[in-house]
Amino acid sequence: QVQLVESGGGLVQAGGSLRLSCAASRSIFSFNVMGWYRQAPGKQRELVAVISSGRTNYAESVKGRFTISSDNAKNTVDLQMNSLQPEDTAVYYCNVRSRIDAYWGQGTQVTVSS
């Protein structure tokens, strides 16, 4: 088992930045893929960014604006979000998964005002 705790969400004006952090209760070294997802009201949860063996992948809508990073020593997965837009408003969830299991955080709200 591993607990994931997200932080860093909040209210920001369009064009602003936020940095989300996901802290794991134990080592994340064993997880193959770590990522961030988001869910806006009335919409399905969608992939934002993932990192696996140092390689990153982003949703088209956030490419060039968001950056995902992980720190195995600190057991954290961060998401730097720049040039935020109102359509980025959602609850953001951290996810880690291996071949046999997957874990989600409780989510952190990001609200971008126009």
Side-chain angles (χ1 to χ4, degrees):
Q1 280 279 6
V2 60
Q3 284 74 48
L4 303 174
V5 179
E6 299 103 332
S7 62
L11 174 64
V12 64
Q13 289 188 333
S17 298
L18 284 174
R19 187 177 183 88
L20 304 184
S21 186
C22 173
S25 59
R26 66 166 176 82
S27 173
I28 59 174
F29 183 77
S30 62
F31 294 104
N32 304 102
V33 183
M34 297 166 285
W36 285 90
Y37 292 72
R38 67 186 181 188
Q39 187 167 17
K43 295 187 177 181
Q44 290 187 332
R45 190 172 298 188
E46 63 175 2
L47 171 71
V48 176
V50 292
I51 184 167
S52 177
S53 299
R55 297 179 180 178
T56 58
N57 192 31
Y58 298 91
E60 284 295 328
S61 60
V62 307
K63 278 184 179 178
R65 301 188 297 125
F66 291 12
T67 302
I68 188 171
S69 61
S70 65
D71 188 329
N72 286 341
K74 297 180 179 179
N75 299 327
T76 57
V77 182
D78 291 352
L79 184 69
Q80 177 66 42
M81 306 187 294
N82 299 327
S83 302
L84 284 161
Q85 300 301 317
E87 51 265 35
D88 295 317
T89 295
V91 178
Y92 283 70
Y93 297 91
C94 177
N95 170 268
V96 298
R97 63 180 188 267
S98 66
R99 291 184 180 86
I100 58 174
D101 53 16
Y103 299 94
W104 292 91
Q106 82 289 350
T108 185
Q109 176 70 47
V110 171
T111 303
V112 185
S113 63
S114 57

